Amino acid sequence: MTKLDSLLTAVDRGLRSVAGVVKADRPSPAADCESELTDAERRHAAGLMRVNHCGEICAQALYEGQALTARRTETRESLTTAARQEEDHLAWCRERLTELDGRPSVLDPAFYVASFALGAVTGLLGDRVSLGFIEATEDQVKHHLDRHIEKLPEGDERSRAILTEMRSDEVRHGEDAVRSGGIEFPPAVKGVMGLVSKVMTETTYRI
């Protein structure tokens, strides 16, 4: 495909992601789980899953942006494959949100555009930097998911199963990025990324 074709394809996927029409290739990890929640627990779980849904919106956009500007074919294919796996996460989170009578964040479109732009700029800095950014991002996501798994209501096994499976995938994505030649970002940069992530978390839990 030409760059224009790739851009139009990315825009189409972005619209589908934000509109919630993405379908998972893999069955939801929550399929065989049960959850017993009070109204307060349901609202809290919905807030957490809204955050994770927005995080997957951002991940989808980031990978798409990086793939658009990647230099090597191998890097582009790796990023595209990871983006498709993130679609599973997006669909699982959206489905769970609906079950919890929750709604996606109204900020999803803005976060998608910002993440796509960030991914495209990162890709322009070179494949090693782009892959290193993936590793640094997935490291942040891993710690974020650990916190959310702990914060979920004790009886919410359905949400917990989804986040646990997502964590495994994110760890693998980070490891794949390093094996593909990604550079290691310094702790200071990861610290700034953590602050940005916290802003997204605090806002989308409520909005």
Side-chain angles (χ1 to χ4, degrees):
M1 292 192 298
T2 66
K3 286 293 184 182
L4 179 58
D5 291 332
S6 298
L7 177 59
L8 292 176
T9 299
V11 170
D12 177 68
R13 286 177 177 148
L15 292 173
R16 290 174 178 273
S17 296
V18 174
V21 295
V22 173
K23 294 184 178 181
D25 289 331
R26 292 175 290 171
S28 171
D32 297 324
C33 300
E34 298 293 336
S35 291
E36 300 259 347
L37 302 174
T38 65
D39 288 343
E41 289 174 335
R42 181 179 294 273
R43 287 192 296 272
H44 176 54
L48 295 177
M49 293 307 292
R50 179 163 46 249
V51 171
N52 290 297
H53 177 268
C54 184
E56 293 306 320
I57 289 280
C58 293
Q60 184 73 22
L62 183 67
Y63 279 122
E64 293 285 0
Q66 289 177 294
L68 183 66
T69 56
R71 298 179 183 178
R72 294 188 304 141
T73 301
E74 295 85 350
T75 301
R76 187 179 304 110
E77 290 176 348
S78 176
L79 291 166
T80 301
T81 298
R84 298 293 76 74
Q85 292 176 348
E86 296 290 348
E87 286 184 351
D88 288 349
H89 301 174
L90 191 59
W92 297 341
C93 287
R94 184 66 176 246
E95 180 182 41
R96 185 59 184 147
L97 257 181
T98 301
E99 292 175 353
L100 293 165
D101 298 323
R103 53 163 180 76
S105 172
V106 297
L107 300 175
D108 282 353
F111 277 118
Y112 187 95
V113 172
S115 298
F116 184 89
L118 178 60
V121 170
T122 303
L124 290 173
L125 296 177
D127 288 359
R128 293 192 67 218
V129 173
S130 184
L131 291 167
F133 190 77
I134 289 293
E135 188 281 328
T137 300
E138 298 295 19
D139 185 60
Q140 295 290 328
V141 172
K142 176 185 68 176
H143 294 301
H144 159 83
L145 290 173
D146 284 339
R147 291 192 295 271
H148 273 211
I149 289 170
E150 187 175 333
K151 288 181 179 179
L152 281 171
E154 185 176 348
D156 192 1
E157 293 303 320
R158 291 181 67 80
S159 297
R160 185 168 287 105
I162 291 171
L163 297 190
T164 299
E165 184 68 20
M166 285 168 52
R167 184 189 187 281
S168 296
D169 288 344
E170 308 298 6
V171 169
R172 187 175 64 256
H173 292 165
E175 292 173 346
D176 288 345
V178 172
R179 281 195 294 269
S180 297
I183 65 173
E184 184 175 354
F185 280 31
V189 174
K190 290 186 176 182
V192 172
M193 293 171 67
L195 291 176
V196 174
S197 175
K198 186 175 182 179
V199 171
M200 185 274 283
T201 298
E202 294 295 328
T203 54
T204 55
Y205 179 85
R206 297 176 176 83
I207 302 175

